[in-house]
Amino acid sequence: MCRALLMSQSTPRRHPIWNLRIPLKIKLFMWYLINNIALTKDNLAKKQWKGSLKCDACILDESIQHLFFDCSIARCVWRCVHVSFNIPPPRSIQHLFGQWMQGVDKNFKNKIWFGACILCWSIWLCRNDVIFNNAQVPTPMQVLFRGTYWMRQWAILLKEDDRSHVKMGCHLLEVTIMQIFANNGWSFSSRISF
């Protein structure tokens, strides 16, 4: 089966996610997002699931686009990336791996994708905690800190020089979101809408 997959023309060997130094489970998760097959509520409904289609953080229907880019939590997370690194927020999963990093040096691009994939993973884990563990809807700060935790953990997969860049980037993201929360008078448990 492995040989057949490798010889198949449909194998996504050239996609940038396969070259990133992130755990395989994150690569597979991102591949599900790219192919619109992650089990968000809209995709579950296509499989005759009868639960609510509403996002747990807002009143709109949950989809990959909504959960990772349009929901107020995701928008705040991407806004922190924008403020921290002067990178415009990605508009969709296709934009994330398409035009978003156009013109950026390949080595720098891979570091940004490393972080972006982990932030998507963090959004997913927080969403799953709400659904499966009856956790409270997280704040963007909780999502971002969870993401920076994983970035630091998985930075060991990177080259020595890249590890220090990731750690500095994590620190910058954390400072940015704390400043955003402090400047807007939000508490750690408050929910925001943008």
Side-chain angles (χ1 to χ4, degrees):
M1 182 176 104
C2 250
R3 196 175 310 120
L5 281 173
L6 289 173
M7 298 306 198
S8 169
Q9 293 296 342
S10 63
T11 304
R13 290 177 285 197
R14 298 197 191 278
H15 198 281
I17 59 167
W18 303 116
N19 296 325
L20 296 177
R21 292 181 177 260
I22 55 178
L24 181 60
K25 67 181 176 182
I26 309 301
K27 291 179 185 184
L28 292 172
F29 168 73
M30 293 306 295
W31 187 247
Y32 291 155
L33 293 184
I34 290 164
N35 288 289
N36 199 30
I37 56 175
L39 292 178
T40 50
K41 292 180 180 181
D42 66 327
N43 284 337
L44 287 170
K46 292 174 189 172
K47 299 178 183 294
Q48 310 330 322
W49 179 68
K50 301 294 182 202
S52 170
L53 296 179
K54 300 295 179 206
C55 172
D56 291 302
C58 64
I59 60 169
L60 300 174
D61 286 352
E62 182 186 276
S63 65
I64 290 173
Q65 177 64 34
H66 175 76
L67 183 63
F68 295 98
F69 301 99
D70 298 338
C71 182
S72 60
I73 292 172
R75 283 197 329 252
C76 186
V77 168
W78 294 118
R79 181 173 178 213
C80 286
V81 170
H82 170 67
V83 170
S84 298
F85 305 110
N86 198 25
I87 300 170
R91 296 185 305 266
S92 67
I93 197 70
Q94 290 75 24
H95 184 244
L96 180 72
F97 288 105
Q99 298 168 336
W100 190 49
M101 289 289 102
Q102 206 167 36
V104 175
D105 178 69
K106 181 184 177 196
N107 292 326
F108 190 57
K109 189 183 296 189
N110 285 344
K111 290 174 198 170
I112 295 170
W113 277 333
F114 171 88
C117 290
I118 294 173
L119 288 175
C120 287
W121 179 248
S122 178
I123 292 168
W124 184 251
L125 290 179
C126 288
R127 174 258 191 197
N128 286 347
D129 280 348
V130 171
I131 292 174
F132 300 115
N133 299 327
N134 295 319
Q136 288 186 341
V137 174
T139 65
M141 182 181 282
Q142 291 167 314
V143 172
L144 197 115
F145 271 83
R146 191 173 198 173
T148 57
Y149 168 80
W150 287 116
M151 282 183 223
R152 285 186 177 100
Q153 294 298 310
W154 293 329
I156 197 162
L157 299 171
L158 303 174
K159 296 176 185 171
E160 188 72 35
D161 292 342
D162 294 342
R163 285 183 210 157
S164 62
H165 289 124
V166 167
K167 289 177 183 177
M168 286 187 297
C170 288
H171 178 73
L172 188 56
L173 280 170
E174 291 164 351
V175 168
T176 300
I177 197 148
M178 286 191 292
Q179 288 174 339
I180 289 173
F181 268 64
N183 291 340
N184 290 296
W186 294 316
S187 69
F188 283 94
S189 62
S190 68
R191 293 166 79 185
I192 52 173
S193 60
F194 274 75

